[in-house]
Amino acid sequence: MLFFTQCFGAVLDLIHLRFQHYKAKRVFSAAGQLVCVVNPTHSLKYAPTRHAAGQTSAEQGVLPPCHHHEAVHDPQLVPCTCPLFSCPWEGHLEVVVSHLRQTHRINILQGAEIVFLATDMHLPAPTDWIIMHSCLGHQFLLVLRKQEKYEGHPQFFATMMLIGTPTQADNFTYRLELNRNQRRLKWEATPRSVLECVDSVISDGDCLVLNTSLAQLFSDNGSLAIGIAITTSKVHKAEDEM
């Protein structure tokens, strides 16, 4: 019975995933956009411990400060950039993508414009949806996080990080767009480098921020579709022409 129950649960998960893919393709196929269904993952970095059990939920929701660069002794080595885990890995920037794919099983999608379909938005915070986006000869890390910055008020934070240096990141502009029920919300900014801390970007609010009610306006049966487009910065195009 236990074996049958586990197999039946796996079949239901597969049917649910295929249904999500079908809905996404039906909605976005007319636009010719590539759709990636992203399932949520509870971040182990913010898992409550015995010491944190006596804290209020507001205290647990505060993002811890980043100390990545303090632990890096070799300036050519960078720490793991995956925001889900407190990973001790260090390596050269050129092999960060391989580490994220092989160790943390983060998928990568190619294309100038894609749709990031995050499922199960109702799950409690903290929860992350993460994927890598490859285009224009570079790799980007898209992070969507559900986090309580204030007690009882979860919010959604979405940001794009370039797997490269801050100087390289200045060459690009990314756009996140929500579009549903005759409503459109757009966020456009320069991506930050993964050498900076994702947690700091979210804490500063330098990203797309949605409260729960706003996220529900754009969600469909618990899934949130975010259109992603990355372009080369116009300022740098003009400099190149000169």
Side-chain angles (χ1 to χ4, degrees):
M1 284 296 295
L2 179 61
F3 176 77
F4 174 78
T5 302
Q6 291 177 342
C7 291
F8 185 68
V11 171
L12 287 180
D13 291 340
L14 180 61
I15 294 175
H16 174 71
L17 183 61
R18 290 182 62 87
F19 179 67
Q20 293 288 350
H21 274 284
Y22 170 76
K23 289 199 307 178
K25 290 181 179 180
R26 183 187 62 186
V27 174
F28 298 104
S29 59
Q33 293 176 302
L34 195 60
V35 178
C36 181
V37 178
V38 184
N39 294 320
T41 304
H42 285 286
S43 177
L44 298 180
K45 183 184 294 186
Y46 309 107
T49 61
R50 292 182 180 179
H51 175 72
Q55 297 177 333
T56 64
S57 58
E59 291 172 336
Q60 294 180 27
V62 175
L63 295 175
C66 296
H67 301 289
H68 291 324
H69 296 286
E70 297 178 6
V72 179
H73 304 289
D74 187 341
Q76 294 183 342
L77 297 180
V78 297
C80 174
T81 57
C82 182
L84 290 173
F85 307 97
S86 297
C87 178
W89 179 89
E90 291 180 356
H92 291 276
L93 192 60
E94 294 78 11
V95 295
V96 168
V97 173
S98 298
H99 171 73
L100 293 177
R101 295 197 68 182
Q102 296 174 8
T103 303
H104 300 302
R105 306 298 181 187
I106 296 180
N107 294 325
I108 187 168
L109 199 63
Q110 297 185 3
E113 295 187 11
I114 64 174
V115 174
F116 179 95
L117 186 65
T119 65
D120 299 323
M121 303 294 295
H122 62 279
L123 292 178
T127 304
D128 287 333
W129 295 258
I130 299 176
I131 195 173
M132 283 190 290
H133 182 190
S134 177
C135 71
L136 300 176
H138 289 78
Q139 284 74 39
F140 300 82
L141 189 69
L142 178 68
V143 179
L144 173 65
R145 175 173 297 164
K146 185 177 183 180
Q147 180 74 42
E148 278 194 9
K149 292 193 70 174
Y150 306 101
E151 183 178 2
H153 297 281
Q155 293 177 301
F156 294 90
F157 305 86
T159 186
M160 182 76 76
M161 312 286 288
L162 171 71
I163 302 179
T165 65
T167 302
Q168 292 174 321
D170 289 338
N171 294 325
F172 299 96
T173 298
Y174 76 95
R175 184 180 73 247
L176 304 179
E177 185 173 329
L178 305 176
N179 191 351
R180 186 173 181 270
N181 292 337
Q182 298 181 342
R183 299 180 179 89
R184 177 174 296 180
L185 181 64
K186 184 184 300 184
W187 167 268
E188 187 171 293
T190 299
R192 304 280 284 271
S193 167
V194 293
L195 297 180
E196 305 176 59
C197 184
V198 176
D199 297 335
S200 297
V201 175
I202 292 177
S203 296
D204 296 340
D206 186 16
C207 55
L208 175 64
V209 182
L210 304 172
N211 58 31
T212 304
S213 59
L214 190 58
Q216 288 176 349
L217 285 177
F218 290 97
S219 65
D220 180 18
N221 292 326
S223 297
L224 186 68
I226 304 177
I228 307 170
I230 301 177
T231 57
T232 304
S233 174
K234 295 181 180 179
V235 175
H236 288 83
K237 282 183 179 179
E239 291 178 352
D240 294 339
E241 293 176 357
M242 293 177 63

